[in-house]
Amino acid sequence: LRAAGASAAVADHCAAAADLARALCAKVGGDGNLAFRAAALHDIAKGCPDHPRTGADWLRAVGWDAEADIVARHQDLGPDASAEAKAVYLADKLLRGTERVSLAARFAASLEKCTTPEARAAHDRRAAEAFRLAAEFHLQETAPENSC
């Protein structure tokens, strides 16, 4: 990550996400090692436009196709996601930096950045997905009453 230009904070976040994604995979029978590798690299292109797609392209260029598929989905999961992609998506949302946070706190904090109707819709979609996955992974996360 550091060689790709990621800051120490991004590298630390990715390391924390990797550990959490592996643990989440253990709950649902996914490949914890694949989730660990993908989460460790999920923000490799942070700061670039469309960083999930850019990071995935970089990983595909070096033959890391399975990890690239997961990295491409870590911001917007989309349909037919693997257990590993779901684990990385959820791990990323359960962390603020390296600190484990509730989904309610994480999405409440990020709401202030949503200055357009499109950004608010994306925020609400991601929050709903994260709360749905928390239930799928048997986590005790409760969506706020006024949440999506």
Side-chain angles (χ1 to χ4, degrees), residues 27-115:
K27 291 176 161 274
V28 295
D31 182 343
N33 290 327
L34 173 58
F36 180 90
R37 291 190 308 272
L41 296 166
H42 79 276
D43 278 340
I44 191 170
K46 188 80 170 177
C48 293
D50 193 10
H51 84 272
R53 179 75 45 215
T54 301
D57 290 345
W58 292 352
L59 293 173
R60 280 191 190 89
V62 295
W64 287 46
D65 293 345
E67 293 82 358
D69 291 343
I70 295 168
V71 167
R73 300 173 83 131
H74 84 269
Q75 195 169 36
D76 286 302
L77 193 58
D80 304 318
S82 66
E84 297 81 12
K86 292 175 181 179
V88 172
Y89 181 92
L90 186 56
D92 188 38
K93 307 307 178 266
L94 286 167
L95 294 168
R96 185 176 303 134
T98 59
E99 179 187 356
R100 176 82 183 260
V101 295
S102 72
L103 291 175
R106 194 262 194 217
F107 282 100
S110 63
L111 183 60
E112 67 189 37
K113 295 186 262 180
C114 300
T115 59

Side-chain angles (χ1 to χ4, degrees), residues 109-134:
S110 63
L111 183 60
E112 67 189 37
K113 295 186 262 180
C114 300
T115 59
T116 66
E118 295 80 13
R120 176 61 188 256
H123 176 275
D124 291 350
R125 184 182 65 253
R126 291 171 183 149
E129 186 74 63
F131 281 105
R132 185 188 68 72
L133 289 175

